[in-house]
Amino acid sequence: FTTLASAQQRDYFVPRPSLQKYVVILAGAAVEEEYKKQINSWALLLHDILSRNYRYEADQIVLLMDQADPADARIYGSSRAENIRDELRALKEVVNPGDQIFIFLLGHGTSNEEGAKFVIPGADITARDLAVMLDTFSEQDIVLVNATSSSYPFCQLLSGPGRVIVSATRSGAEKYDTVFAEFFINII
């Protein structure tokens, strides 16, 4: 009850002079080499647009992708589960109440009776895993864009006060590679 009461008293997505915005871009895994290249291309393009057009500084964007060019300063490392957890923990240390966090999942997702997953190198991240990680950001506003296949089941577990969840699919049964990211990135 107290969490619900405090959530109802808080103003969400209200611009303030001290407001900071942060971005986490997660480029997942794919079976087909061509789709892997497309995912990485979207991730890098999104990073560049946010830096150039929206003036995000390097320390405000975390980009994790597999098969990363070690010389590319935009990429923090692989999108493995432990790196995602570590980067979200590090972000938690710098955000303030009311700050905004934008999270982009690019790649492939799966869904079955056991739940939905974001496919990454190594062990995949489930919607439940991600929900637990994001629960630590109760004082920040979160926009999560899940541009993966089978992304809709993430909505129920990730939804909550101060959150906007965007899904590329309308059900967990939509398991084909999506092109949602391409069109989303083109409009920002």
Short mmCIF file of all heavy atoms in Angstrom, two decimals, residues 36-71:
data_model
loop_
_atom_site.label_atom_id
_atom_site.label_comp_id
_atom_site.label_asym_id
_atom_site.label_seq_id
_atom_site.Cartn_x
_atom_site.Cartn_y
_atom_site.Cartn_z
N LYS A 36 22.25 -10.03 -37.59
CA LYS A 36 23.21 -9.53 -36.58
C LYS A 36 23.77 -8.18 -37.02
O LYS A 36 23.86 -7.24 -36.24
CB LYS A 36 24.37 -10.52 -36.40
CG LYS A 36 24.08 -11.72 -35.57
CD LYS A 36 25.33 -12.57 -35.46
CE LYS A 36 25.01 -13.90 -34.84
NZ LYS A 36 26.19 -14.77 -34.75
N LYS A 37 24.15 -8.10 -38.30
CA LYS A 37 24.69 -6.85 -38.82
C LYS A 37 23.64 -5.74 -38.74
O LYS A 37 23.96 -4.60 -38.42
CB LYS A 37 25.16 -7.04 -40.27
CG LYS A 37 26.41 -7.87 -40.40
CD LYS A 37 26.79 -8.02 -41.86
CE LYS A 37 27.99 -8.95 -41.99
NZ LYS A 37 28.31 -9.20 -43.40
N GLN A 38 22.39 -6.09 -39.05
CA GLN A 38 21.32 -5.10 -39.01
C GLN A 38 21.10 -4.59 -37.59
O GLN A 38 20.95 -3.40 -37.36
CB GLN A 38 20.02 -5.70 -39.55
CG GLN A 38 18.89 -4.71 -39.63
CD GLN A 38 19.18 -3.57 -40.59
OE1 GLN A 38 19.30 -3.77 -41.78
NE2 GLN A 38 19.34 -2.37 -40.05
N ILE A 39 21.08 -5.50 -36.62
CA ILE A 39 20.90 -5.12 -35.20
C ILE A 39 22.02 -4.17 -34.77
O ILE A 39 21.76 -3.13 -34.16
CB ILE A 39 20.88 -6.38 -34.30
CG1 ILE A 39 19.64 -7.22 -34.57
CG2 ILE A 39 20.97 -6.00 -32.82
CD1 ILE A 39 19.71 -8.61 -33.98
N ASN A 40 23.25 -4.52 -35.08
CA ASN A 40 24.39 -3.68 -34.70
C ASN A 40 24.33 -2.33 -35.41
O ASN A 40 24.63 -1.30 -34.80
CB ASN A 40 25.70 -4.39 -35.00
CG ASN A 40 25.95 -5.55 -34.06
OD1 ASN A 40 25.27 -5.73 -33.05
ND2 ASN A 40 26.94 -6.37 -34.38
N SER A 41 23.92 -2.33 -36.66
CA SER A 41 23.78 -1.09 -37.40
C SER A 41 22.73 -0.18 -36.76
O SER A 41 22.96 1.03 -36.60
CB SER A 41 23.40 -1.41 -38.85
OG SER A 41 23.09 -0.23 -39.55
N TRP A 42 21.59 -0.74 -36.37
CA TRP A 42 20.55 0.04 -35.69
C TRP A 42 21.07 0.61 -34.38
O TRP A 42 20.81 1.76 -34.05
CB TRP A 42 19.32 -0.82 -35.42
CG TRP A 42 18.49 -1.15 -36.62
CD1 TRP A 42 18.39 -0.44 -37.78
CD2 TRP A 42 17.66 -2.28 -36.77
NE1 TRP A 42 17.52 -1.06 -38.64
CE2 TRP A 42 17.05 -2.20 -38.05
CE3 TRP A 42 17.34 -3.37 -35.96
CZ2 TRP A 42 16.17 -3.16 -38.52
CZ3 TRP A 42 16.46 -4.31 -36.43
CH2 TRP A 42 15.88 -4.21 -37.69
N ALA A 43 21.79 -0.21 -33.62
CA ALA A 43 22.30 0.24 -32.32
C ALA A 43 23.27 1.41 -32.48
O ALA A 43 23.18 2.41 -31.76
CB ALA A 43 22.98 -0.92 -31.59
N LEU A 44 24.18 1.30 -33.42
CA LEU A 44 25.14 2.38 -33.65
C LEU A 44 24.46 3.63 -34.20
O LEU A 44 24.78 4.75 -33.78
CB LEU A 44 26.24 1.90 -34.60
CG LEU A 44 27.16 0.82 -34.03
CD1 LEU A 44 28.03 0.22 -35.13
CD2 LEU A 44 28.00 1.35 -32.89
N LEU A 45 23.49 3.45 -35.09
CA LEU A 45 22.75 4.59 -35.63
C LEU A 45 21.97 5.30 -34.53
O LEU A 45 21.98 6.53 -34.45
CB LEU A 45 21.81 4.13 -36.75
CG LEU A 45 20.94 5.21 -37.39
CD1 LEU A 45 21.80 6.31 -38.01
CD2 LEU A 45 20.00 4.59 -38.42
N LEU A 46 21.32 4.53 -33.68
CA LEU A 46 20.57 5.11 -32.56
C LEU A 46 21.51 5.92 -31.66
O LEU A 46 21.21 7.05 -31.28
CB LEU A 46 19.86 4.02 -31.77
CG LEU A 46 19.06 4.46 -30.55
CD1 LEU A 46 17.98 5.46 -30.93
CD2 LEU A 46 18.45 3.23 -29.87
N HIS A 47 22.64 5.35 -31.33
CA HIS A 47 23.64 6.06 -30.52
C HIS A 47 24.03 7.37 -31.18
O HIS A 47 24.06 8.43 -30.53
CB HIS A 47 24.87 5.18 -30.32
CG HIS A 47 25.92 5.79 -29.47
ND1 HIS A 47 26.73 6.82 -29.92
CD2 HIS A 47 26.29 5.55 -28.19
CE1 HIS A 47 27.56 7.17 -28.95
NE2 HIS A 47 27.31 6.42 -27.90
N ASP A 48 24.33 7.32 -32.47
CA ASP A 48 24.79 8.51 -33.18
C ASP A 48 23.71 9.59 -33.25
O ASP A 48 24.00 10.78 -33.10
CB ASP A 48 25.28 8.15 -34.58
CG ASP A 48 26.54 7.29 -34.54
OD1 ASP A 48 27.18 7.20 -33.47
OD2 ASP A 48 26.87 6.69 -35.58
N ILE A 49 22.47 9.19 -33.47
CA ILE A 49 21.37 10.15 -33.53
C ILE A 49 21.19 10.82 -32.16
O ILE A 49 21.02 12.04 -32.08
CB ILE A 49 20.06 9.47 -33.98
CG1 ILE A 49 20.14 9.14 -35.47
CG2 ILE A 49 18.85 10.35 -33.69
CD1 ILE A 49 19.00 8.27 -35.97
N LEU A 50 21.22 10.04 -31.10
CA LEU A 50 21.06 10.61 -29.76
C LEU A 50 22.20 11.56 -29.42
O LEU A 50 21.99 12.60 -28.81
CB LEU A 50 20.95 9.49 -28.73
CG LEU A 50 19.68 8.64 -28.83
CD1 LEU A 50 19.79 7.43 -27.92
CD2 LEU A 50 18.44 9.46 -28.52
N SER A 51 23.41 11.22 -29.84
CA SER A 51 24.56 12.10 -29.58
C SER A 51 24.50 13.37 -30.41
O SER A 51 24.67 14.47 -29.88
CB SER A 51 25.86 11.36 -29.91
OG SER A 51 26.04 10.26 -29.08
N ARG A 52 24.25 13.21 -31.68
CA ARG A 52 24.28 14.35 -32.60
C ARG A 52 23.04 15.24 -32.49
O ARG A 52 23.15 16.43 -32.29
CB ARG A 52 24.43 13.82 -34.03
CG ARG A 52 24.50 14.89 -35.09
CD ARG A 52 24.56 14.31 -36.51
NE ARG A 52 23.36 13.51 -36.79
CZ ARG A 52 23.37 12.21 -37.06
NH1 ARG A 52 24.50 11.54 -37.10
NH2 ARG A 52 22.25 11.56 -37.30
N ASN A 53 21.86 14.64 -32.58
CA ASN A 53 20.62 15.42 -32.66
C ASN A 53 20.06 15.82 -31.29
O ASN A 53 19.38 16.83 -31.18
CB ASN A 53 19.55 14.67 -33.42
CG ASN A 53 19.94 14.39 -34.87
OD1 ASN A 53 21.00 14.80 -35.32
ND2 ASN A 53 19.10 13.68 -35.58
N TYR A 54 20.31 15.01 -30.27
CA TYR A 54 19.75 15.29 -28.95
C TYR A 54 20.81 15.65 -27.92
O TYR A 54 20.51 15.83 -26.75
CB TYR A 54 18.91 14.08 -28.48
CG TYR A 54 17.71 13.89 -29.36
CD1 TYR A 54 17.76 13.02 -30.45
CD2 TYR A 54 16.54 14.58 -29.13
CE1 TYR A 54 16.66 12.85 -31.29
CE2 TYR A 54 15.43 14.41 -29.95
CZ TYR A 54 15.50 13.55 -31.03
OH TYR A 54 14.42 13.39 -31.85
N ARG A 55 22.05 15.72 -28.36
CA ARG A 55 23.17 16.18 -27.56
C ARG A 55 23.43 15.38 -26.26
O ARG A 55 23.82 15.93 -25.24
CB ARG A 55 23.04 17.65 -27.24
CG ARG A 55 22.85 18.51 -28.47
CD ARG A 55 23.40 19.88 -28.29
NE ARG A 55 23.06 20.81 -29.34
CZ ARG A 55 23.51 20.78 -30.60
NH1 ARG A 55 24.29 19.80 -30.97
NH2 ARG A 55 23.17 21.71 -31.46
N TYR A 56 23.18 14.08 -26.33
CA TYR A 56 23.56 13.21 -25.21
C TYR A 56 25.07 13.11 -25.19
O TYR A 56 25.71 12.93 -26.23
CB TYR A 56 22.97 11.81 -25.38
CG TYR A 56 21.53 11.70 -24.96
CD1 TYR A 56 20.50 12.07 -25.82
CD2 TYR A 56 21.19 11.21 -23.71
CE1 TYR A 56 19.17 11.96 -25.43
CE2 TYR A 56 19.88 11.10 -23.31
CZ TYR A 56 18.87 11.48 -24.18
OH TYR A 56 17.57 11.37 -23.80
N GLU A 57 25.64 13.24 -24.00
CA GLU A 57 27.08 13.09 -23.83
C GLU A 57 27.44 11.60 -23.75
O GLU A 57 26.58 10.77 -23.47
CB GLU A 57 27.53 13.81 -22.55
CG GLU A 57 27.27 15.29 -22.55
CD GLU A 57 28.08 16.05 -23.58
OE1 GLU A 57 29.22 15.63 -23.86
OE2 GLU A 57 27.58 17.07 -24.10
N ALA A 58 28.70 11.30 -23.95
CA ALA A 58 29.17 9.90 -23.95
C ALA A 58 28.83 9.19 -22.64
O ALA A 58 28.48 8.01 -22.64
CB ALA A 58 30.67 9.84 -24.20
N ASP A 59 28.89 9.91 -21.51
CA ASP A 59 28.60 9.27 -20.22
C ASP A 59 27.11 9.12 -19.94
O ASP A 59 26.72 8.59 -18.91
CB ASP A 59 29.29 10.01 -19.07
CG ASP A 59 28.78 11.43 -18.89
OD1 ASP A 59 28.12 11.97 -19.80
OD2 ASP A 59 29.04 12.01 -17.82
N GLN A 60 26.27 9.57 -20.87
CA GLN A 60 24.82 9.42 -20.71
C GLN A 60 24.28 8.26 -21.55
O GLN A 60 23.10 7.95 -21.45
CB GLN A 60 24.10 10.71 -21.14
CG GLN A 60 24.35 11.88 -20.23
CD GLN A 60 23.71 13.13 -20.79
OE1 GLN A 60 24.19 13.73 -21.74
NE2 GLN A 60 22.59 13.50 -20.19
N ILE A 61 25.12 7.64 -22.37
CA ILE A 61 24.68 6.54 -23.23
C ILE A 61 25.55 5.32 -22.96
O ILE A 61 26.77 5.38 -23.03
CB ILE A 61 24.80 6.89 -24.72
CG1 ILE A 61 24.00 8.15 -25.07
CG2 ILE A 61 24.33 5.72 -25.58
CD1 ILE A 61 24.17 8.62 -26.50
N VAL A 62 24.89 4.21 -22.66
CA VAL A 62 25.56 2.92 -22.52
C VAL A 62 25.10 2.07 -23.70
O VAL A 62 23.90 1.86 -23.89
CB VAL A 62 25.19 2.22 -21.20
CG1 VAL A 62 25.74 0.80 -21.16
CG2 VAL A 62 25.69 3.02 -20.01
N LEU A 63 26.05 1.62 -24.51
CA LEU A 63 25.76 0.75 -25.65
C LEU A 63 26.48 -0.57 -25.44
O LEU A 63 27.71 -0.60 -25.33
CB LEU A 63 26.20 1.41 -26.95
CG LEU A 63 26.18 0.54 -28.21
CD1 LEU A 63 24.80 -0.05 -28.48
CD2 LEU A 63 26.67 1.34 -29.42
N LEU A 64 25.70 -1.64 -25.35
CA LEU A 64 26.26 -2.99 -25.23
C LEU A 64 25.88 -3.78 -26.47
O LEU A 64 24.70 -3.85 -26.83
CB LEU A 64 25.73 -3.69 -23.97
CG LEU A 64 26.08 -3.04 -22.63
CD1 LEU A 64 25.42 -3.80 -21.49
CD2 LEU A 64 27.59 -2.99 -22.42
N MET A 65 26.86 -4.38 -27.11
CA MET A 65 26.60 -5.21 -28.28
C MET A 65 27.68 -6.27 -28.41
O MET A 65 28.82 -6.06 -28.00
CB MET A 65 26.50 -4.38 -29.56
CG MET A 65 27.79 -3.77 -30.00
SD MET A 65 27.83 -2.97 -31.64
CE MET A 65 26.22 -2.44 -31.94
N ASP A 66 27.31 -7.39 -28.98
CA ASP A 66 28.26 -8.45 -29.21
C ASP A 66 29.01 -8.17 -30.51
O ASP A 66 28.56 -7.37 -31.32
CB ASP A 66 27.53 -9.81 -29.29
CG ASP A 66 28.45 -10.94 -28.93
OD1 ASP A 66 29.29 -10.78 -28.03
OD2 ASP A 66 28.33 -12.00 -29.56
N GLN A 67 30.12 -8.83 -30.68
CA GLN A 67 30.96 -8.63 -31.86
C GLN A 67 31.35 -7.17 -32.01
O GLN A 67 31.35 -6.61 -33.09
CB GLN A 67 30.27 -9.13 -33.13
CG GLN A 67 29.95 -10.59 -33.09
CD GLN A 67 29.22 -11.03 -34.34
OE1 GLN A 67 28.60 -10.25 -35.04
NE2 GLN A 67 29.30 -12.32 -34.62
N ALA A 68 31.63 -6.56 -30.92
CA ALA A 68 31.96 -5.14 -30.91
C ALA A 68 33.39 -4.91 -31.37
O ALA A 68 34.28 -5.71 -31.12
CB ALA A 68 31.77 -4.59 -29.51
N ASP A 69 33.58 -3.79 -32.02
CA ASP A 69 34.91 -3.35 -32.40
C ASP A 69 35.55 -2.76 -31.16
O ASP A 69 35.07 -1.75 -30.63
CB ASP A 69 34.80 -2.31 -33.51
CG ASP A 69 36.14 -1.71 -33.91
OD1 ASP A 69 37.18 -2.11 -33.34
OD2 ASP A 69 36.14 -0.85 -34.79
N PRO A 70 36.61 -3.38 -30.64
CA PRO A 70 37.22 -2.88 -29.40
C PRO A 70 37.73 -1.44 -29.51
O PRO A 70 37.88 -0.76 -28.50
CB PRO A 70 38.37 -3.85 -29.12
CG PRO A 70 38.48 -4.74 -30.29
CD PRO A 70 37.31 -4.53 -31.19
N ALA A 71 37.95 -0.97 -30.72
CA ALA A 71 38.43 0.39 -30.89
C ALA A 71 37.29 1.42 -30.93
O ALA A 71 37.55 2.61 -30.90
CB ALA A 71 39.24 0.49 -32.19
#
